[in-house]
Amino acid sequence: MSSFSQRTTTAPAGPATVHTLPTPVQDVVTWRGSFRTNPDFAAGEELLQDLVVRLLDKGTRKRDRFALAGILEDRGAQLGFNAEALRVRLSGRALKQDIPAVLELMAEQLREPALDAEEFEKARAQVTAGLRRAYENTGARASSALAHRLYPEAHPNFDPGVPALLDRLSSITIDDIRAYHDEHFRSADFHLVFVGDLDEETIRSDVRTQFDGWNATPAPEQFEGRKAAGQAGVPIHESIPDKANFDVSFGHAVDLLRTDPDFIPLYVGTFVLGGNFSARLMTIVRDEMGLTYGIRAGLNGFTGEHTGHFNTRVTLSGDGLEPGIAATRNELRRFMEDGITKDELAEKQETISGSFKVGLATTSGIAASLLTNIERGFGPAYLDAF
């Protein structure tokens, strides 16, 4: 089979850049897309973005939510939207013959959402409930406290904490939601990836028709990708009544972008340390020493646009708290001093590459991977090179 780069065609289609990859699957087309929104994280605009996205399928200026759902159900089609840091992502799946109708619906939801006040209140209640649940979760609290310490407020990975988020959420109005949509939902850095049984020129024509005239001027950038890290230092202790177990997070900021050459070596080394059930931390601290229910190490929050952090998280009982922390620190220290073995490297290389190939077994997986690497500036060829 020819490479992904040889089979993928990239061409402009109105304000969007469309990437198409024909595959043998019959009659079905899957797509993924995103556009850059540039929310101001220091001002809490990630909440506004999340709320707008939650309202996209709740009606447009032309159709109510029942009409939108009926169009998709009648065709067995799917549409989805989600907010992710500096971008809004979208996804879809439909029969080849239904692509024009479903793309029309997607464009209508993105460009002309109703942003109804009653639906907004429902969405706010859902977000509020989700935040309160997270506040009672020891793992979520540990991760939140670490991200709060590691990043400056304007960084997409900064976590202000649930109390601050709830306070911000309570002050948002429907007018704030509508203003955010007007100012940030534009076709800036707009990419669409289509995979499946498709006619490439027809797809580009359909996209051009539906998105022609959508404002392509990006919202002002509020964030520089390599801002200085936040505070380091003394441990943070968070108390949650009636919780018998503890979640402990160790971490530090890392001045790397996902596109930097050192990222892959760092990722593989970290995977050896704590990436899966056969990684060193799990084998030693859990299986051999019996000190934890679970322990992982990973790299969090890295993109081609901003830095992230290294994090080790361990779940411990009250009796095992101090021994578990000591054992985890010892293994981290040993890892830094001794490095990894050739056998560990070979095993994890095989695991990572195998998982990557499994992810490309479906049109959905291919579309998602293509989009991610296009956003990072790597292009389709990276799927072959990785």
Side-chain angles (χ1 to χ4, degrees), residues 300-321:
N300 303 94
F302 292 84
T303 74
E305 298 164 316
H306 59 75
T307 57
H309 68 277
F310 166 83
N311 179 34
T312 297
R313 196 172 103 187
V314 56
T315 301
L316 300 164
S317 66
D319 293 340
L321 180 61

PDB file of all heavy atoms in Angstrom, residues 300-321:
ATOM      1  N   ASN A 300       2.025  15.477  29.973  1.00  0.00           N
ATOM      2  CA  ASN A 300       0.675  16.031  29.895  1.00  0.00           C
ATOM      3  C   ASN A 300       0.672  17.426  29.284  1.00  0.00           C
ATOM      4  O   ASN A 300       1.529  18.256  29.599  1.00  0.00           O
ATOM      5  CB  ASN A 300       0.059  16.115  31.296  1.00  0.00           C
ATOM      6  CG  ASN A 300       0.016  14.778  32.002  1.00  0.00           C
ATOM      7  OD1 ASN A 300       0.905  14.444  32.758  1.00  0.00           O
ATOM      8  ND2 ASN A 300      -1.007  14.000  31.750  1.00  0.00           N
ATOM      9  N   GLY A 301      -0.312  17.662  28.404  1.00  0.00           N
ATOM     10  CA  GLY A 301      -0.590  19.018  27.957  1.00  0.00           C
ATOM     11  C   GLY A 301       0.310  19.574  26.881  1.00  0.00           C
ATOM     12  O   GLY A 301       0.283  20.771  26.605  1.00  0.00           O
ATOM     13  N   PHE A 302       1.129  18.759  26.230  1.00  0.00           N
ATOM     14  CA  PHE A 302       2.019  19.252  25.186  1.00  0.00           C
ATOM     15  C   PHE A 302       1.292  19.350  23.852  1.00  0.00           C
ATOM     16  O   PHE A 302       0.572  18.428  23.460  1.00  0.00           O
ATOM     17  CB  PHE A 302       3.213  18.307  25.003  1.00  0.00           C
ATOM     18  CG  PHE A 302       4.172  18.281  26.150  1.00  0.00           C
ATOM     19  CD1 PHE A 302       3.936  17.460  27.248  1.00  0.00           C
ATOM     20  CD2 PHE A 302       5.305  19.074  26.140  1.00  0.00           C
ATOM     21  CE1 PHE A 302       4.816  17.428  28.315  1.00  0.00           C
ATOM     22  CE2 PHE A 302       6.200  19.040  27.203  1.00  0.00           C
ATOM     23  CZ  PHE A 302       5.956  18.221  28.293  1.00  0.00           C
ATOM     24  N   THR A 303       1.458  20.431  23.144  1.00  0.00           N
ATOM     25  CA  THR A 303       0.988  20.568  21.769  1.00  0.00           C
ATOM     26  C   THR A 303       2.076  21.248  20.964  1.00  0.00           C
ATOM     27  O   THR A 303       3.141  21.612  21.485  1.00  0.00           O
ATOM     28  CB  THR A 303      -0.306  21.409  21.679  1.00  0.00           C
ATOM     29  OG1 THR A 303       0.016  22.794  21.886  1.00  0.00           O
ATOM     30  CG2 THR A 303      -1.341  20.973  22.702  1.00  0.00           C
ATOM     31  N   GLY A 304       1.812  21.450  19.680  1.00  0.00           N
ATOM     32  CA  GLY A 304       2.736  22.209  18.855  1.00  0.00           C
ATOM     33  C   GLY A 304       2.696  23.697  19.144  1.00  0.00           C
ATOM     34  O   GLY A 304       3.519  24.459  18.622  1.00  0.00           O
ATOM     35  N   GLU A 305       1.739  24.119  20.002  1.00  0.00           N
ATOM     36  CA  GLU A 305       1.552  25.540  20.271  1.00  0.00           C
ATOM     37  C   GLU A 305       1.913  25.932  21.694  1.00  0.00           C
ATOM     38  O   GLU A 305       2.115  27.113  21.979  1.00  0.00           O
ATOM     39  CB  GLU A 305       0.079  25.906  20.002  1.00  0.00           C
ATOM     40  CG  GLU A 305      -0.324  25.668  18.559  1.00  0.00           C
ATOM     41  CD  GLU A 305      -1.830  25.654  18.364  1.00  0.00           C
ATOM     42  OE1 GLU A 305      -2.528  25.025  19.186  1.00  0.00           O
ATOM     43  OE2 GLU A 305      -2.309  26.279  17.413  1.00  0.00           O
ATOM     44  N   HIS A 306       1.984  24.976  22.629  1.00  0.00           N
ATOM     45  CA  HIS A 306       2.355  25.322  23.993  1.00  0.00           C
ATOM     46  C   HIS A 306       3.013  24.149  24.707  1.00  0.00           C
ATOM     47  O   HIS A 306       2.881  22.992  24.318  1.00  0.00           O
ATOM     48  CB  HIS A 306       1.141  25.821  24.786  1.00  0.00           C
ATOM     49  CG  HIS A 306       0.010  24.846  24.885  1.00  0.00           C
ATOM     50  ND1 HIS A 306       0.025  23.747  25.701  1.00  0.00           N
ATOM     51  CD2 HIS A 306      -1.192  24.824  24.253  1.00  0.00           C
ATOM     52  CE1 HIS A 306      -1.110  23.088  25.596  1.00  0.00           C
ATOM     53  NE2 HIS A 306      -1.866  23.714  24.718  1.00  0.00           N
ATOM     54  N   THR A 307       3.731  24.467  25.763  1.00  0.00           N
ATOM     55  CA  THR A 307       4.489  23.494  26.534  1.00  0.00           C
ATOM     56  C   THR A 307       3.578  22.701  27.470  1.00  0.00           C
ATOM     57  O   THR A 307       2.405  23.013  27.642  1.00  0.00           O
ATOM     58  CB  THR A 307       5.565  24.210  27.358  1.00  0.00           C
ATOM     59  OG1 THR A 307       4.928  25.187  28.196  1.00  0.00           O
ATOM     60  CG2 THR A 307       6.575  24.905  26.458  1.00  0.00           C
ATOM     61  N   GLY A 308       4.154  21.684  28.119  1.00  0.00           N
ATOM     62  CA  GLY A 308       3.399  20.848  29.037  1.00  0.00           C
ATOM     63  C   GLY A 308       4.221  20.503  30.260  1.00  0.00           C
ATOM     64  O   GLY A 308       5.147  21.227  30.633  1.00  0.00           O
ATOM     65  N   HIS A 309       3.891  19.345  30.883  1.00  0.00           N
ATOM     66  CA  HIS A 309       4.630  18.974  32.083  1.00  0.00           C
ATOM     67  C   HIS A 309       4.751  17.462  32.219  1.00  0.00           C
ATOM     68  O   HIS A 309       3.991  16.691  31.632  1.00  0.00           O
ATOM     69  CB  HIS A 309       3.971  19.559  33.339  1.00  0.00           C
ATOM     70  CG  HIS A 309       2.629  18.987  33.683  1.00  0.00           C
ATOM     71  ND1 HIS A 309       1.465  19.425  33.093  1.00  0.00           N
ATOM     72  CD2 HIS A 309       2.249  18.019  34.581  1.00  0.00           C
ATOM     73  CE1 HIS A 309       0.427  18.763  33.596  1.00  0.00           C
ATOM     74  NE2 HIS A 309       0.880  17.900  34.487  1.00  0.00           N
ATOM     75  N   PHE A 310       5.764  17.056  33.005  1.00  0.00           N
ATOM     76  CA  PHE A 310       5.954  15.666  33.405  1.00  0.00           C
ATOM     77  C   PHE A 310       5.172  15.434  34.690  1.00  0.00           C
ATOM     78  O   PHE A 310       5.171  16.282  35.582  1.00  0.00           O
ATOM     79  CB  PHE A 310       7.440  15.385  33.627  1.00  0.00           C
ATOM     80  CG  PHE A 310       7.720  14.101  34.353  1.00  0.00           C
ATOM     81  CD1 PHE A 310       7.743  12.902  33.671  1.00  0.00           C
ATOM     82  CD2 PHE A 310       7.956  14.099  35.724  1.00  0.00           C
ATOM     83  CE1 PHE A 310       7.985  11.708  34.345  1.00  0.00           C
ATOM     84  CE2 PHE A 310       8.203  12.925  36.407  1.00  0.00           C
ATOM     85  CZ  PHE A 310       8.217  11.721  35.715  1.00  0.00           C
ATOM     86  N   ASN A 311       4.527  14.271  34.800  1.00  0.00           N
ATOM     87  CA  ASN A 311       3.705  14.003  35.979  1.00  0.00           C
ATOM     88  C   ASN A 311       3.773  12.528  36.340  1.00  0.00           C
ATOM     89  O   ASN A 311       3.678  11.656  35.471  1.00  0.00           O
ATOM     90  CB  ASN A 311       2.243  14.391  35.710  1.00  0.00           C
ATOM     91  CG  ASN A 311       1.331  14.120  36.885  1.00  0.00           C
ATOM     92  OD1 ASN A 311       1.742  14.241  38.027  1.00  0.00           O
ATOM     93  ND2 ASN A 311       0.095  13.746  36.608  1.00  0.00           N
ATOM     94  N   THR A 312       3.986  12.265  37.612  1.00  0.00           N
ATOM     95  CA  THR A 312       3.841  10.914  38.158  1.00  0.00           C
ATOM     96  C   THR A 312       2.725  10.951  39.188  1.00  0.00           C
ATOM     97  O   THR A 312       2.728  11.816  40.069  1.00  0.00           O
ATOM     98  CB  THR A 312       5.140  10.433  38.835  1.00  0.00           C
ATOM     99  OG1 THR A 312       6.174  10.346  37.872  1.00  0.00           O
ATOM    100  CG2 THR A 312       4.938   9.067  39.477  1.00  0.00           C
ATOM    101  N   ARG A 313       1.768  10.033  39.082  1.00  0.00           N
ATOM    102  CA  ARG A 313       0.658   9.998  40.031  1.00  0.00           C
ATOM    103  C   ARG A 313       0.539   8.620  40.644  1.00  0.00           C
ATOM    104  O   ARG A 313       0.580   7.611  39.925  1.00  0.00           O
ATOM    105  CB  ARG A 313      -0.657  10.388  39.352  1.00  0.00           C
ATOM    106  CG  ARG A 313      -1.743  10.738  40.374  1.00  0.00           C
ATOM    107  CD  ARG A 313      -2.959  11.312  39.699  1.00  0.00           C
ATOM    108  NE  ARG A 313      -4.023  10.318  39.621  1.00  0.00           N
ATOM    109  CZ  ARG A 313      -5.155  10.502  38.961  1.00  0.00           C
ATOM    110  NH1 ARG A 313      -5.359  11.626  38.296  1.00  0.00           N
ATOM    111  NH2 ARG A 313      -6.085   9.575  38.943  1.00  0.00           N
ATOM    112  N   VAL A 314       0.382   8.574  41.961  1.00  0.00           N
ATOM    113  CA  VAL A 314       0.294   7.303  42.673  1.00  0.00           C
ATOM    114  C   VAL A 314      -0.881   7.361  43.638  1.00  0.00           C
ATOM    115  O   VAL A 314      -1.110   8.373  44.293  1.00  0.00           O
ATOM    116  CB  VAL A 314       1.625   6.990  43.409  1.00  0.00           C
ATOM    117  CG1 VAL A 314       2.027   8.118  44.351  1.00  0.00           C
ATOM    118  CG2 VAL A 314       1.545   5.669  44.160  1.00  0.00           C
ATOM    119  N   THR A 315      -1.641   6.265  43.724  1.00  0.00           N
ATOM    120  CA  THR A 315      -2.767   6.141  44.642  1.00  0.00           C
ATOM    121  C   THR A 315      -2.342   5.285  45.826  1.00  0.00           C
ATOM    122  O   THR A 315      -1.833   4.173  45.641  1.00  0.00           O
ATOM    123  CB  THR A 315      -3.971   5.498  43.937  1.00  0.00           C
ATOM    124  OG1 THR A 315      -4.335   6.300  42.814  1.00  0.00           O
ATOM    125  CG2 THR A 315      -5.162   5.402  44.880  1.00  0.00           C
ATOM    126  N   LEU A 316      -2.552   5.817  47.052  1.00  0.00           N
ATOM    127  CA  LEU A 316      -2.031   5.168  48.246  1.00  0.00           C
ATOM    128  C   LEU A 316      -3.085   5.107  49.346  1.00  0.00           C
ATOM    129  O   LEU A 316      -3.968   5.969  49.419  1.00  0.00           O
ATOM    130  CB  LEU A 316      -0.811   5.934  48.767  1.00  0.00           C
ATOM    131  CG  LEU A 316       0.372   6.048  47.803  1.00  0.00           C
ATOM    132  CD1 LEU A 316       1.310   7.138  48.266  1.00  0.00           C
ATOM    133  CD2 LEU A 316       1.088   4.711  47.687  1.00  0.00           C
ATOM    134  N   SER A 317      -2.951   4.118  50.226  1.00  0.00           N
ATOM    135  CA  SER A 317      -3.794   4.050  51.422  1.00  0.00           C
ATOM    136  C   SER A 317      -3.198   4.962  52.491  1.00  0.00           C
ATOM    137  O   SER A 317      -2.056   5.416  52.386  1.00  0.00           O
ATOM    138  CB  SER A 317      -3.847   2.614  51.936  1.00  0.00           C
ATOM    139  OG  SER A 317      -2.562   2.227  52.400  1.00  0.00           O
ATOM    140  N   GLY A 318      -3.965   5.199  53.538  1.00  0.00           N
ATOM    141  CA  GLY A 318      -3.457   6.024  54.621  1.00  0.00           C
ATOM    142  C   GLY A 318      -2.203   5.450  55.250  1.00  0.00           C
ATOM    143  O   GLY A 318      -1.219   6.159  55.485  1.00  0.00           O
ATOM    144  N   ASP A 319      -2.203   4.133  55.516  1.00  0.00           N
ATOM    145  CA  ASP A 319      -1.038   3.490  56.125  1.00  0.00           C
ATOM    146  C   ASP A 319       0.161   3.472  55.187  1.00  0.00           C
ATOM    147  O   ASP A 319       1.308   3.464  55.642  1.00  0.00           O
ATOM    148  CB  ASP A 319      -1.379   2.047  56.536  1.00  0.00           C
ATOM    149  CG  ASP A 319      -2.400   1.996  57.672  1.00  0.00           C
ATOM    150  OD1 ASP A 319      -2.546   3.020  58.368  1.00  0.00           O
ATOM    151  OD2 ASP A 319      -3.039   0.942  57.830  1.00  0.00           O
ATOM    152  N   GLY A 320      -0.120   3.450  53.902  1.00  0.00           N
ATOM    153  CA  GLY A 320       0.973   3.344  52.946  1.00  0.00           C
ATOM    154  C   GLY A 320       1.433   4.661  52.363  1.00  0.00           C
ATOM    155  O   GLY A 320       2.255   4.669  51.444  1.00  0.00           O
ATOM    156  N   LEU A 321       0.915   5.773  52.899  1.00  0.00           N
ATOM    157  CA  LEU A 321       1.207   7.074  52.289  1.00  0.00           C
ATOM    158  C   LEU A 321       2.704   7.387  52.285  1.00  0.00           C
ATOM    159  O   LEU A 321       3.294   7.603  51.221  1.00  0.00           O
ATOM    160  CB  LEU A 321       0.430   8.172  53.006  1.00  0.00           C
ATOM    161  CG  LEU A 321       0.638   9.594  52.459  1.00  0.00           C
ATOM    162  CD1 LEU A 321       0.185   9.687  51.007  1.00  0.00           C
ATOM    163  CD2 LEU A 321      -0.118  10.613  53.323  1.00  0.00           C
TER     164      LEU A 321
END
